[in-house]
Amino acid sequence: MSDAVYRDAPVFVAGHRGMAGSAIVRRLAALGYRRILTAPRSELDLADQAAVRGYLQRQQPAAVVLAAARVGGIQANNNYPADFIAENLQIELNVIDGAHRAGVQRLLFLGSSCIYPRLAPQPMREDALLTGLLEPTNEPYAVAKIAGIKLCESFNRQHGRDYRSVMPTNLYGPGDNFHPEDSHVIPGLMRRFHEAAQRGDAEVVVWGSGTPMREFLHVDDMAAASVHVMNLPRDTWQAHTQPMLSHLNVGTGVDCSIRELAEAVARVTGFRGRLVWDASKPDGAPRKLMDVSRLAALGWKASITLEEGLRDTYAWFRAHAAEIRG
Ligand code: GFB
């Protein structure tokens, strides 16, 4: 028997305004889910333990997707380490423990590829978790995400819950944060190249050395994978994640250098000038490529190429340029 979450069952998506959460809401709606529960921050502050417990008790969702998080690029992680660790720990504890107290049996937690050691063997397998030191620029965020995995794992072990964790590689797509300093590399460069192309600038500054390798996943692919994983029969999920593993990598299995990425973003935005590398900015981890063989064995693989995804994201950026620039 399938133990997919039924389409008429209430599913709470925490973080539905963010890029990841909004993509998951779109995916659930496209699959015919009729009772997608969302709560704007003005009604439910996920950092407020009592409010989260009360909400989950009242709503009694059949499943919870925890896509809410304080996120940002390499510089935001470096500048606001206290916010990144404290807010993420608070949200995770409130939602995961709150779900358990409300009797929610199924939960999907979204983590990040930065949980793995900075120098983990590439591509990174799920069992590389906690085998070495983390990348210093995002250690506080990574520690919070590791705590989320361990919360899920511990509620499963002690209380028989079915709380699953997916670790998406670097995400991008519609709804991303295009802040000039705090964003991730794709939205950061897209905005900078776009504005430079409009002004006719001869050069654009790109951070670091250009040599780090990254894997990029379009958020719609991430959402499709997440709902696929949420709906796997419990036996199938456990057969691929046990013993002592409760998380699964989600990525494309393909990476590129930041230089290649910058050239691709320049093409998409029509910028024809020079790239100038700012070595005063950090490179971060030298490489972060996911081993996605477990996910493939569970029947899912990415379908949106980086070129397609960049074009789609740029179309979204142009359509929302006025509100992005505030
Ligand atoms: O996207 P990004 O901030 O993520 O940076 P990380 C990736 C690479 O792009 C780094 C370079 O080597 C940056 O130096 N880069 C070049 C730029 N130009 C830019 C730019 O204009 N903006 C940005 N942001 N980068 C984050 C973590 O690290 O990845 C988070 O800090 C999270 O915790 C996220 O895990 C997925 O992969 O380096």
Side-chain angles (χ1 to χ4, degrees):
M1 197 192 88
S2 154
D3 42 359
V5 178
Y6 294 113
R7 282 167 176 61
D8 54 3
V11 178
F12 173 48
V13 180
H16 73 288
R17 286 266 169 85
M19 174 174 69
S22 59
I24 287 174
V25 168
R26 286 198 298 278
R27 179 68 184 169
L28 289 169
L31 291 173
Y33 283 83
R34 287 182 286 276
R35 296 172 67 196
I36 305 168
L37 306 176
T38 59
R41 190 173 296 195
S42 56
E43 279 169 32
L44 178 64
D45 176 2
L46 295 173
D48 179 340
Q49 185 182 60
V52 174
R53 284 185 186 173
Y55 178 85
L56 292 166
Q57 282 290 354
R58 280 193 306 280
Q59 300 293 338
Q60 289 293 306
V64 168
V65 179
L66 177 43
R70 170 75 182 246
V71 299
I74 191 165
Q75 185 157 289
N77 271 267
N78 236 349
N79 289 346
Y80 315 112
D83 295 349
F84 275 79
I85 190 164
E87 289 179 26
N88 286 306
L89 284 173
Q90 266 174 334
I91 292 170
E92 289 162 14
L93 187 58
N94 291 348
V95 174
I96 297 169
D97 172 70
H100 167 67
R101 286 166 186 264
V104 177
Q105 185 60 8
R106 180 79 55 92
L107 180 143
L108 188 77
F109 169 62
L110 268 60
S112 164
S113 59
C114 68
I115 59 161
Y116 295 116
R118 171 184 163 80
L119 298 178
Q122 305 285 322
M124 303 182 293
R125 289 157 38 117
E126 285 86 351
D127 57 11
L129 183 65
L130 294 174
T131 57
L133 295 175
L134 296 165
E135 156 61 31
T137 53
N138 58 34
E139 188 185 61
Y141 176 75
V143 166
K145 288 295 184 184
I146 294 169
I149 296 174
K150 294 298 169 185
L151 274 167
C152 291
E153 203 175 283
S154 302
F155 279 100
N156 294 345
R157 282 174 58 200
Q158 190 176 332
H159 299 291
R161 295 297 181 200
D162 187 2
Y163 293 174
R164 308 174 182 187
S165 299
V166 283
M167 298 302 119
T169 192
N170 288 29
L171 297 175
Y172 71 99
D176 211 339
N177 167 15
F178 288 82
H179 189 279
E181 304 293 324
D182 292 345
S183 66
H184 288 102
V185 60
I186 289 181
L189 291 185
M190 196 167 270
R191 178 174 181 168
R192 211 173 300 140
F193 283 133
H194 171 81
E195 291 174 355
Q198 284 197 324
R199 287 192 300 262
D201 291 355
E203 53 185 47
V204 158
V205 173
V206 186
W207 300 353
S209 64
T211 59
M213 302 289 290
R214 291 289 184 276
E215 174 186 12
F216 297 101
L217 180 69
H218 190 282
V219 72
D220 289 346
D221 265 345
M222 182 283 302
S226 296
V227 177
H228 178 81
V229 168
M230 179 183 85
N231 280 329
L232 289 170
R234 191 175 186 176
D235 291 353
T236 311
W237 165 258
Q238 286 184 341
H240 281 80
T241 51
Q242 302 298 317
M244 291 311 290
L245 279 179
S246 60
H247 63 284
L248 188 76
N249 290 345
V250 175
T252 62
V254 178
D255 62 354
C256 69
S257 71
I258 295 300
R259 177 180 296 278
E260 288 167 326
L261 173 77
E263 287 164 357
V265 176
R267 274 197 301 280
V268 167
T269 56
F271 174 74
R272 296 190 213 292
R274 262 184 343 117
L275 309 186
V276 178
W277 296 92
D278 178 358
S280 72
K281 293 281 200 280
D283 269 346
R287 193 177 187 197
K288 281 196 286 182
L289 175 64
M290 295 288 216
D291 182 321
V292 288
S293 48
R294 279 174 193 258
L295 181 64
L298 286 165
W300 190 88
K301 82 185 200 350
S303 63
I304 304 172
T305 65
L306 183 59
E307 286 284 341
E308 283 166 2
L310 289 177
R311 281 198 297 275
D312 170 64
T313 307
Y314 188 50
W316 188 92
F317 170 78
R318 292 183 64 144
H320 294 82
E323 64 207 73
I324 286 166
R325 275 185 230 125

